[in-house]
Amino acid sequence: MKCCYCREGDFAVVDSRSHEGGFPIRRRRVCDRCKRRVWTVEQVEDVPLKVVKKDESREPFRSEKIRMGLEKACYKRPISTEQIESIVRRVEAEVYSSHFGEVPAAMLGKLVMKHLKKLDQVAYIRFASVYREFKDVHDFVEEAQPMLARAREEGRRKRRDRRRVRAQGTVAEDA
């Protein structure tokens, strides 16, 4: 780094200090020619993430848009603001950890749906209907059928378990 005073010498680092999170880092520097001392501050600069939309246009990634979509899907559902924020944070973390520079909008939608499906099936279907652009009721039925099949299987499993517990209780009473 060239000296900003004499424009001849180079600054050498004499001392470094950082905050708990690691950044910003303050460095004490001294010019090897004029011997002037200065403090510099180093800060990490994030590369802004762009979302690539279906029409190939690009716009800045904004977690507020994910939050707004989730709030619409979760309207009048038993889902707290904290749960919505948790999904937004998880999606944001996954996107930043696996994409650099650009992320397809389709990937964002899939990540949101993955987390929403675990949280609330009705909100999931609402979000999917907008994200996947459902055209008629058949699209809703196609999306809901796998969830209905799982729910039926879980119901059967619970009934079997209850019968097994009752049968064991009867055997214990007979003994």
Side-chain angles (χ1 to χ4, degrees), residues 1-5 7-11 31:
M1 181 176 186
K2 289 286 183 196
C3 176
C4 53
Y5 298 109
R7 307 239 190 269
E8 297 290 324
D10 284 331
F11 276 121
C31 175

Side-chain angles (χ1 to χ4, degrees), residues 66 69-74 77 79 83-84 87 90-91 109-128 147:
I66 295 173
L70 282 167
E71 286 173 354
K72 287 178 185 175
C74 298
R77 298 297 303 156
I79 298 169
Q83 289 171 307
I84 291 173
I87 291 175
R90 281 186 268 160
V91 167
K110 287 177 185 175
L111 286 172
V112 171
M113 288 188 354
K114 177 181 86 171
H115 293 291
L116 199 51
K117 192 173 194 176
K118 296 174 192 171
L119 184 63
D120 186 89
Q121 292 178 344
V122 172
Y124 167 79
I125 293 291
R126 286 178 180 170
F127 189 88
M147 289 189 291

Side-chain angles (χ1 to χ4, degrees), residues 23-94:
F23 286 97
I25 297 175
R26 290 182 47 151
R27 298 197 192 277
R28 183 78 166 154
R29 297 177 183 266
V30 64
C31 175
D32 60 4
R33 183 168 173 104
C34 69
K35 305 300 181 204
R36 286 207 170 166
R37 296 174 178 267
V38 295
W39 280 102
T40 59
V41 178
E42 291 180 18
Q43 180 68 38
V44 172
E45 185 175 280
D46 287 333
V47 174
L49 190 62
K50 298 275 187 192
V51 177
V52 181
K53 305 199 55 114
K54 289 179 186 176
D55 64 357
E56 296 298 316
S57 65
R58 283 149 174 78
E59 67 178 45
F61 172 77
R62 292 189 5 240
S63 58
E64 301 86 48
K65 288 185 81 172
I66 295 173
R67 185 178 300 102
M68 289 183 334
L70 282 167
E71 286 173 354
K72 287 178 185 175
C74 298
Y75 181 67
K76 290 193 176 183
R77 298 297 303 156
I79 298 169
S80 69
T81 305
E82 290 79 23
Q83 289 171 307
I84 291 173
E85 283 300 318
S86 173
I87 291 175
V88 171
R89 282 192 307 273
R90 281 186 268 160
V91 167
E92 196 172 17
E94 287 180 49

Side-chain angles (χ1 to χ4, degrees), residues 108-174:
L108 290 173
K110 287 177 185 175
L111 286 172
V112 171
M113 288 188 354
K114 177 181 86 171
H115 293 291
L116 199 51
K117 192 173 194 176
K118 296 174 192 171
L119 184 63
D120 186 89
Q121 292 178 344
V122 172
Y124 167 79
I125 293 291
R126 286 178 180 170
F127 189 88
S129 71
V130 174
Y131 170 68
R132 292 194 178 149
E133 299 173 353
F134 288 0
K135 301 293 184 232
D136 57 27
V137 74
H138 297 290
D139 294 335
F140 283 94
V141 172
E142 278 183 35
E143 192 66 40
Q145 279 179 337
M147 289 189 291
L148 291 171
R150 268 194 306 276
R152 271 189 238 116
E153 182 57 38
E154 286 176 19
R156 287 185 195 122
R157 194 175 315 118
K158 286 179 182 177
R159 285 191 296 275
R160 270 195 312 263
D161 291 345
R162 281 192 297 246
R163 281 192 295 251
R164 195 174 301 132
V165 168
R166 276 191 231 125
Q168 289 172 348
T170 307
V171 171
E173 289 174 10
D174 291 342

